Amino acid sequence: MNPGKEQILNGERSAGFDVQACRKDFPILSSTVFGKPLAYLDNAATTQKPQSVIDTIHNYYTGINANVHRGVHYLSEQATCFYENARVKAQQFINAAEFREIIFVRGATEGINLVAQSFGRSNLRRGDEIIISTIEHHSNIVPWQMLAEQTGAVLKVIPINDDGELLLDEYEKMLGKRTKLVAVGHMSNALGTINPVKKMAEMAHQWNARVLVDGAQAVPHMPVDVRALDCDFYVFSGHKVFGPTGIGVLYGKAELLEAMPPYQGGGDMISWVTFGKTLYNTIPYKFEAGTPHIEGVIGLGAALDYVSAVGMNRIAAYEGELLAYGTRLLSAAPGVKIIGTARQKGGILSFTMEHAHPHDIATILDREGIAIRAGHHCAMPVMERFAVPATARASLAFYNTQEELDRLVAALGRVREIFR
Amino acid sequence: MADLNELYQEMILEHNTKPRNFRAIADASRKTEGYNPLCGDRITLFLKMENGRVADISFQGSGCAISKASASMMTTVIKGKTKPEAEALADVFRRMVSSGAQAAPEAVGKLAVFAGVSEFPARVKCATLAWHTLLAGLEEKTDHPVTTEGENGS
């Protein structure tokens, strides 16, 4: 058994979870690829959408469509109501204190860029320090590099051990009075490592540094409580949590968001405009310039409703069991090496194989109807750390089954046949 | 639907396992880096030009079977060619693997084993990486690595 599993489960079991019933809610899962039933194991890249999300978007365009926050007619009032209800759903989903702490953005990437450019540029000076980790996605590296270039701040990187876990001792040594911001992923997309972000936030706060958590991989797979984590900012993407693409959430503590300058200028983010001076709107609207992604927001709300109904604890428990099963299978497969063996780990199976490059593995699996990703997973420093050019990655969701993992391992046999 | 065997032809697998000219050239006149950011494939191509011809050619790097075999076989057919000859062959090869254009057997020779790549759109860039790098090397665009990005429209 994966030793980290028990802790992830937190004593819970996936009892009563009916994976086959869940699968029926996702129309694409009954499709075939190259004549084989689709086994979709690329959930860290994007997730599939339940019928309820598809229907919600369809119903929005067939019965509600209008611009929001300009509510002089019935449809606009309806659209605004659905839009703002989704904000409350997002607030409740991550247990934010207030609805105005939820900013709709294009995705986790834009959320991080917003914080870097708005909070970062107004708070960081030359010589200040930003701490990130070795296992960040490029979207939690590059915005900080840009900010460092703009402000003269310095980027520091928390190293990892061979299991892919952050070295907290090293992190502690990095923290200091110059630390202004710590930006760390909740769960690694390349390795599956779940970082101890609550503890890391606590450590950073002792130095009055602010903490941003990139929750793109965590939110779809485990319960997230931003107040319990006590992070200052938290971002996630809608499309990774079974919602539409092009929509995501930035959570920020209200007092921080209020003090931050706007990110983009435009409609909706103002309260009064003259050519001499513009008064900005209050949060969250100050950060939502232009007509928003209304269908995306409402679709995201439907997605959060869906996973809430399934139950995030139950999802985490089931995926923990699935990960343990897949880990056992892959560990026993000849020539396969799993990259990323953290004790606290989510449903990511990143691996390499003797004699076969990940890209070739992915092509061969594709012809068996099995969708995985091959490459550096937008985490090139991770690949460098493990001295591999790329890995093959199967990433799980609660609609995956043990049978699909059996097929994955069987298809690796086909890879071995070709690359003897 | 193309079978995997059309992609992974024996000759390709053989070049993947035993790549030809997989070495550095100490006195190379050109050293060009090629990179496919999508999958992380990297190639360093060495060219030694003499009297307008490719006197020696070799490569190093890491990549998938398709990119490695493509680089290996490319080095074997490019040696001795002039710049225009090499460019013409690169063009024929690229059209064959990207759009499935029928290539005259005498024009492509043994490179015809890559024809199956056109049935695997995700792998076209693997097959063309070495050739992009060659074209850059012949042009002496050696300031920065060439990448396979930006060829989508081709």
Side-chain angles (χ1 to χ4, degrees):
Chain A
M1 294 291 278
N2 180 343
K5 196 185 119 193
E6 295 307 318
Q7 284 157 294
I8 296 166
L9 295 180
N10 207 12
E12 304 239 5
R13 283 288 177 275
S14 62
F17 177 73
D18 184 348
V19 64
Q20 292 305 334
C22 278
R23 289 179 69 83
K24 290 198 182 81
D25 295 332
F26 291 78
I28 208 168
L29 295 182
S30 55
S31 60
T32 56
V33 172
F34 300 117
K36 311 273 173 61
L38 169 67
Y40 186 77
L41 297 171
D42 195 17
N43 295 288
T46 198
T47 52
Q48 300 302 342
K49 318 307 171 196
Q51 190 65 50
S52 63
V53 168
I54 299 165
D55 288 346
T56 297
I57 295 169
H58 175 85
N59 293 342
Y60 166 71
Y61 279 122
T62 47
I64 303 164
N65 178 51
N67 211 330
V68 292
H69 303 142
R70 292 135 174 87
V72 288
H73 58 77
Y74 174 78
L75 284 183
S76 178
E77 276 172 10
Q78 286 286 297
T80 305
C81 179
F82 277 89
Y83 182 85
E84 291 301 329
N85 277 347
R87 195 189 305 276
V88 174
K89 287 174 187 180
Q91 175 208 339
Q92 290 168 345
F93 192 71
I94 58 171
N95 197 31
E98 303 176 58
F99 80 92
R100 63 196 186 111
E101 295 179 318
I102 301 295
I103 317 282
F104 288 120
V105 288
R106 280 189 296 149
T109 297
E110 189 178 48
I112 296 169
N113 277 280
L114 190 158
V115 173
Q117 290 303 307
S118 172
F119 174 84
R121 287 190 85 164
S122 50
N123 285 283
L124 271 76
R125 302 281 169 270
R126 180 164 297 280
D128 285 344
E129 292 173 358
I130 307 160
I131 298 179
I132 60 173
S133 89
T134 307
I135 54 175
E136 298 311 313
H137 188 281
H138 293 165
S139 60
N140 203 23
I141 301 174
V142 182
W144 307 116
Q145 284 175 329
M146 291 165 66
L147 176 64
E149 260 177 42
Q150 289 157 348
T151 59
V154 179
L155 202 58
K156 300 189 118 184
V157 184
I158 309 167
I160 55 170
N161 63 22
D162 290 342
D163 289 319
E165 298 168 323
L166 302 191
L167 299 178
L168 289 190
D169 293 352
E170 298 298 319
Y171 169 58
E172 187 161 29
K173 282 186 232 160
M174 282 177 189
L175 287 164
K177 59 181 193 305
R178 300 197 126 179
T179 311
K180 287 291 182 298
L181 204 124
V182 175
V184 65
H186 200 164
M187 172 174 148
S188 156
N189 73 309
L191 303 175
T193 310
I194 296 171
N195 292 319
V197 287
K198 181 178 160 67
K199 185 177 179 190
M200 292 176 74
E202 206 178 291
M203 289 162 74
H205 286 153
Q206 287 173 4
W207 294 95
N208 290 319
R210 299 300 176 186
V211 178
L212 176 141
V213 177
D214 171 3
Q217 297 295 337
V219 160
H221 305 292
M222 65 183 85
V224 170
D225 180 334
V226 290
R227 276 188 285 175
L229 296 176
D230 195 28
C231 54
D232 300 291
F233 301 102
Y234 196 98
V235 298
F236 68 92
S237 295
H239 73 100
K240 291 202 201 295
V241 61
F242 316 101
T245 54
I247 191 67
V249 166
L250 161 65
Y251 157 81
K253 286 180 178 167
E255 72 269 21
L256 291 172
L257 293 175
E258 277 174 339
M260 283 158 54
Y263 175 53
Q264 292 176 332
D268 237 21
M269 55 77 72
I270 51 87
S271 63
W272 188 259
V273 175
T274 69
F275 286 112
K277 184 169 173 58
T278 291
L279 289 179
Y280 301 127
N281 207 337
T282 52
I283 61 168
Y285 311 107
K286 181 171 77 176
F287 293 106
E288 293 180 1
T291 294
H293 186 13
I294 306 168
E295 98 184 41
V297 166
I298 296 175
L300 172 61
L304 298 180
D305 280 346
Y306 180 86
V307 286
S308 298
V310 176
M312 290 312 297
N313 278 312
R314 205 184 265 177
I315 286 173
Y318 176 75
E319 288 181 10
E321 290 171 11
L322 208 52
L323 174 67
Y325 182 78
T327 304
R328 271 203 304 277
L329 285 188
L330 280 183
S331 304
V336 171
K337 185 184 177 206
I338 296 177
I339 309 276
T341 46
R343 282 163 295 174
Q344 296 281 351
K345 192 178 163 180
I348 303 277
L349 290 160
S350 218
F351 61 95
T352 56
M353 235 177 133
E354 276 172 13
H355 313 303
H357 189 277
H359 214 168
D360 295 310
I361 299 172
T363 292
I364 296 166
L365 264 51
D366 184 36
R367 294 287 150 153
E368 300 292 328
I370 302 165
I372 65 159
R373 171 134 183 223
H376 52 57
H377 317 297
C378 295
M380 291 173 76
V382 175
M383 300 298 119
E384 203 179 318
R385 170 63 176 74
F386 287 95
V388 292
T391 71
R393 180 190 70 186
S395 51
L396 310 175
F398 62 89
Y399 45 58
N400 291 127
T401 63
Q402 294 193 352
E403 187 240 333
E404 288 176 316
L405 293 173
D406 292 339
R407 283 177 56 203
L408 168 76
V409 174
L412 293 181
R414 178 92 178 93
V415 176
R416 270 192 302 279
E417 277 170 34
I418 294 175
F419 291 95
R420 287 187 294 272
Chain B
M1 188 186 89
D3 188 70
L4 277 173
N5 297 330
E6 283 179 42
L7 181 67
Y8 294 114
Q9 307 244 353
E10 272 309 317
M11 196 186 288
I12 290 178
L13 293 173
E14 201 267 336
H15 273 263
N16 173 48
T17 325
K18 296 190 197 91
R20 318 295 195 272
N21 302 306
F22 193 69
R23 56 185 162 87
I25 297 174
D27 57 344
S29 37
R30 317 268 165 85
K31 183 182 165 190
T32 314
E33 305 283 333
Y35 178 51
N36 181 344
L38 286 179
C39 50
D41 288 357
R42 279 179 186 283
I43 174 177
T44 305
L45 188 75
F46 300 87
L47 279 172
K48 189 174 175 186
M49 304 298 291
E50 272 171 16
N51 305 322
R53 284 187 186 275
V54 178
D56 197 6
I57 176 171
S58 71
F59 78 105
Q60 290 183 318
S62 69
C64 63
I66 303 301
S67 74
K68 209 165 170 185
S70 174
S72 171
M73 289 180 69
M74 180 187 82
T75 62
T76 65
V77 298
I78 287 299
K79 204 177 285 189
K81 291 221 170 5
T82 63
K83 182 172 175 253
E85 285 167 353
E87 284 170 345
L89 187 52
D91 190 51
V92 171
F93 182 83
R94 206 180 50 141
R95 279 189 286 126
M96 176 181 75
V97 297
S98 60
S99 60
Q102 282 287 334
E106 65 276 15
V108 285
K110 61 188 175 184
L111 297 178
V113 293
F114 287 99
V117 172
S118 68
E119 297 284 337
F120 294 78
R123 307 306 300 275
V124 171
K125 288 179 178 181
C126 308
T128 55
L129 175 62
W131 291 87
H132 277 286
T133 313
L134 172 68
L135 291 175
L138 289 169
E139 289 295 328
E140 275 192 302
K141 287 178 190 162
T142 52
D143 296 351
H144 49 81
V146 295
T147 85
T148 50
E149 293 308 275
E151 75 158 19
N152 288 327
S154 62

